[in-house]
Amino acid sequence: MGRFKNNSDDSTDAVVDISPLIDCVFILLIFFIVTTTFVEETGVEVDKPQAASSVQLEKTSIMIAITANGEIVYGGNEIGISGIRPLVKRMMQKEDVPVIIQADQNVMSGLLVRVIDEAKLAGAMKVSIATLKNQG
């Protein structure tokens, strides 16, 4: 009868160690932060023209904006027409990414053509113009 004792007066609490769970949560958090792709915006608001043939492009790209008054902006800073070629060359050294130009619909076509030309002279193979999808 001594083999099975019921020691009800022993009050041992079961403790769950949650430190491995916290480690797993932090590892998952770091994984999602590292693998997330961030889209770098141009830093200015432009009124894009509409087009019926609009398609979605890659998330990793060089975004250059042309405002209605002719300013050329990348990353919130005005770079001017002379800043396009060095910027695109530097970005193309890492990987071959497309150049997307967000031009205001009131931009003169000559300035838009010069921006496209500078990007292509810097080595960009794909240069696109950002538009809004036509809803009609």
Side-chain angles (χ1 to χ4, degrees):
M1 289 265 213
R3 284 179 70 175
F4 300 109
K5 290 184 181 179
N6 188 2
N7 293 337
S8 61
D9 51 322
D10 268 350
S11 58
T12 57
D13 294 333
V15 178
V16 176
D17 186 19
I18 63 166
S19 58
L21 177 67
I22 294 172
D23 290 342
C24 289
V25 169
F26 280 125
I27 289 172
L28 284 174
L29 179 68
I30 291 170
F31 172 75
F32 286 120
I33 289 173
V34 170
T35 59
T36 302
T37 303
F38 296 102
V39 177
E40 188 170 326
E41 291 294 326
T42 56
V44 293
E45 188 67 33
V46 295
D47 188 18
K48 294 180 251 181
Q50 292 188 356
S53 62
S54 293
V55 294
Q56 191 76 24
L57 291 177
E58 297 93 12
K59 291 186 190 272
T60 56
S61 58
I62 304 169
M63 304 277 284
I64 298 173
I66 307 173
T67 62
N69 55 355
E71 295 176 333
I72 300 167
V73 180
Y74 174 77
N77 300 321
E78 184 178 358
I79 59 171
I81 196 79
S82 61
I84 295 172
R85 198 180 302 189
L87 168 75
V88 173
K89 276 186 181 177
R90 187 180 75 238
M91 299 296 283
M92 296 293 281
Q93 288 176 349
K94 298 175 189 170
E95 62 178 306
D96 190 21
V97 293
V99 175
I100 299 176
I101 300 170
Q102 291 182 331
D104 193 276
Q105 64 183 356
N106 298 321
V107 168
M108 302 295 273
S109 61
L111 179 60
L112 179 60
V113 169
R114 286 184 62 199
V115 171
I116 292 170
D117 195 37
E118 286 292 318
K120 288 196 176 222
L121 288 172
M125 300 306 283
K126 290 173 61 178
V127 179
S128 303
I129 299 172
T131 60
L132 296 174
K133 184 79 171 169
N134 195 355
Q135 301 296 327

